[in-house]
Structure formats: structure tokens, C-alpha cells
Amino acid sequence: MSLLDRRVRGFRLVDVVALALLIALVMSVYLAKTIAGRERTEIALVERQIAAEHDRIRLLKAEVSHLEQPNRIEKLSTGYLGLAPIAASREVTPEALPEIARREPKS
């Protein structure tokens, strides 16, 4: 009587081992599929977060573009700080700087 012909409760030992392996294989495939489904859900969540962050970045860039408009900054500086462009008579060439420095009183 060989190991392949040995019977356990009316079934050959080879059949019982093959059934056990088949059940283990089915369970491992089910477990792998379940884990892959969870990971797929997590990946979808992260992709949605990335898309939301891209939208937020686009919105912030548009806001910065609006805030950095020269006309807007000029209006604010004139209205709140009383600043104005320098008059042409106050402009100096680089060659005249040493003379102006000598005229200024030193403190």
C-alpha cells in the first residue's frame, strides 16, 4: 500500500491533500483581492486629494496674480501711504551722486 493509495475515511490521501491545497489557494486569492480592493480605495482617495490640491494651487496662483497687479498696488500705495512717483527734477545720474553726498550734512 503506497502513500497515494492510502485512504482516510473513504477518501484517498492525495485527494484530501489536493482539496486542502485548493481551499488554501482560494482563500489566499480572496485575501489578496480584498487587500487590493482596499489599496485601490486608498489610491483613489489620494488621487482625489491631489486633484483638490492642484485646484487649490491654481486658485492661489490666480489670487497672487490679482494681488500683484501694478495698477492695484499703485492705488493702494497712493491711497493708504500717500506715495507717488518721483518727480523728474529729483532724479539723479550716477555721476552726480558723489557731489550730492558731499552736500548732505553728516550726522
Side-chain angles (χ1 to χ4, degrees):
M1 183 182 232
S2 73
L3 189 61
L4 298 177
D5 291 332
R6 191 168 196 192
R7 294 194 174 265
V8 177
R9 295 190 181 195
F11 298 102
R12 288 189 312 179
L13 185 61
V14 171
D15 294 338
V16 173
V17 170
L19 181 64
L21 287 175
L22 182 65
I23 290 173
L25 183 63
V26 168
M27 293 302 289
S28 65
V29 168
Y30 176 76
L31 182 64
K33 208 172 169 191
T34 303
I35 291 172
R38 285 186 194 147
E39 289 179 0
R40 196 173 21 246
T41 303
E42 289 176 17
I43 289 171
L45 176 65
V46 169
E47 286 177 347
R48 282 194 303 270
Q49 289 174 346
I50 289 171
E53 289 297 322
H54 282 296
D55 291 344
R56 177 94 172 120
I57 288 170
R58 198 174 78 242
L59 178 68
L60 290 174
K61 283 182 179 180
E63 186 176 351
V64 165
S65 174
H66 167 70
L67 293 175
E68 289 181 342
Q69 289 178 348
N71 292 338
R72 180 184 171 278
I73 294 173
E74 183 180 355
K75 286 179 190 175
L76 292 174
S77 65
T78 304
Y80 289 109
L81 302 174
L83 300 177
I86 296 175
S89 62
R90 306 255 323 153
E91 291 184 17
V92 184
T93 62
E95 292 80 23
L97 288 177
E99 182 182 329
I100 292 173
R102 276 181 265 171
R103 282 191 288 177
E104 295 287 324
K106 296 183 180 177
S107 25

